[in-house]
Amino acid sequence: MQKLSKSLFPIIIAFTIIGISFTACEDSSEQISSHYPLLNNPKFEDKYRDRENDNAAEQYPLEVLAQFELPENWQEIAEIQNKYAEIIYELDYERLVDYDYLFKDMCFASRTAFNWRDVGKVTAVRNQGGCGSCWAFAAMGAYESSNMIRNNITADVSEQDVLNCAGAGSCRGGWYDPVFKYMLTNGVASEASEPYLALDDFCSPRLYKPFRAINWGFVTVKREIPSVQELKDALCKYGSLSIAVKATSAFMRYNPADGVFKEEEAGKGINHAITLVGWDDNKNAWLIKNSWGSGWGDNGYMWIDYNTNNVGYAATWVQAQSRFYIPDDYLLEVIRERFEIINPFLHPEEFEKIEG
């Protein structure tokens, strides 16, 4: 297999492991779980509740549901990660050159409209319940889409495992970059083996964790919100994206009968993580997948104007490990330049065990 130019090695060697110390935002007056008893119920699983009642926005206040919080230096973290991601992307693509037909889907950024849901590359809408874990659902939404695109595998990956083990946050807030790091270095379990509880729990490191990322990065490090064209390009290149938005009371009450959501007085900042799955220029809007249940919005989705509520902030992509090759020593060497310890990746035949 052809290797990359040796000129890349100075760049690779220059990378250092970044210790990301993230502290989730907390309720300064009283623990949120004391207000919402369901959080303390270990049997609480509302992910697949009846559609008529499957709407977290009708059961919990905004400050419980929307708890996405970025560290102040997130753009510095993103810049270093993107340098690493560019190298891995080239290595990954090099190994898949014989399978590039798999990526020639129907997505072209020049199209007037496209979304991954309509071509069957988006998993079912989930419900985060009364836990501020939107960041975990946004990350898993993007990963599951990539897994469907790259491997044709429809899998429900465990947000609870991410919540327990990734070090990315808690029910009181978090963000998705450490989630993807954990998916590359350790892997994540299936929903069946670690069901969602909507509460903070202990990590189960002995679980079988076959769902692995091979790479991730930010759509751009030049600005907080990528341009419409940059987001379209990323959607076609990588699949669904993890993005942030400013969720408000109006956002919570979104009614698809009112058309595209646009809020004139949304204010600054972001507080919620969602999954971006497509666009429609005729609507001047993005199609986003939320994690408040299928009873919210348009069966769990929303059409939101390109230029409202800071939608697209800190947009991030992830690529699932491909079933079509085993990462070789050269690729693993590059990965270890950034992450010293990584668990073994799946062999292609093992992918048959994780389908469905």
Side-chain angles (χ1 to χ4, degrees), residues 54 101 146 180 228 234-235 243:
D54 192 20
Y101 67 90
S146 177
F180 298 137
V228 170
L235 278 165
I243 65 170

Side-chain angles (χ1 to χ4, degrees), residues 10-65:
I11 299 175
I12 298 171
I13 295 172
F15 295 155
T16 57
I17 300 173
I18 298 176
I20 301 173
S21 177
F22 174 77
T23 303
C25 55
E26 298 183 356
D27 184 338
S28 59
S29 60
E30 190 174 2
Q31 290 293 327
I32 288 175
S33 59
S34 67
H35 293 293
Y36 306 101
L38 279 177
L39 296 181
N40 296 317
N41 182 356
K43 296 182 179 180
F44 172 58
E45 296 179 28
D46 66 352
K47 187 182 263 190
Y48 302 109
R49 229 181 306 171
D50 182 78
R51 286 178 178 271
E52 293 183 3
N53 301 314
D54 192 20
N55 187 345
E58 292 182 349
Q59 298 169 333
Y60 304 97
L62 182 63
E63 60 267 24
V64 169
L65 297 176

Side-chain angles (χ1 to χ4, degrees), residues 136-278:
F137 283 86
M140 293 303 93
Y143 173 82
E144 289 172 352
S145 178
S146 177
N147 200 23
M148 295 178 81
I149 294 167
R150 304 197 93 201
N151 298 314
N152 200 31
I153 291 176
T154 302
D156 189 354
V157 184
S158 174
E159 290 85 7
Q160 189 65 47
D161 186 30
V162 169
L163 190 63
N164 295 346
C165 302
S170 68
C171 277
R172 295 179 299 279
W175 73 307
Y176 33 62
D177 179 84
V179 174
F180 298 137
K181 172 185 174 181
Y182 186 76
M183 295 198 80
L184 188 149
T185 58
N186 293 272
V188 172
S190 68
E191 175 69 19
S193 62
E194 187 72 293
Y196 185 63
L197 301 174
L199 52 79
D200 297 321
D201 203 358
F202 294 104
C203 180
S204 302
R206 294 187 180 181
L207 283 174
Y208 179 51
K209 302 189 179 189
F211 298 100
R212 302 292 292 274
I214 195 67
N215 201 8
W216 84 94
F218 292 77
V219 173
T220 183
V221 295
K222 296 179 180 179
R223 59 191 69 84
E224 295 170 335
I225 302 176
S227 68
V228 170
Q229 190 59 50
E230 285 171 330
L231 287 170
K232 288 180 181 178
D233 289 340
L235 278 165
C236 287
K237 188 174 183 179
Y238 305 110
S240 299
L241 308 173
S242 302
I243 65 170
V245 68
K246 177 65 177 293
T248 63
S249 58
F251 184 99
M252 290 184 75
R253 298 191 304 269
Y254 168 64
N255 186 341
D258 296 332
V260 173
F261 179 80
K262 184 174 183 179
E263 188 174 8
E264 300 295 339
E265 302 296 331
K268 298 180 179 180
I270 46 88
N271 59 358
H272 187 49
I274 51 180
T275 307
L276 178 62
V277 303

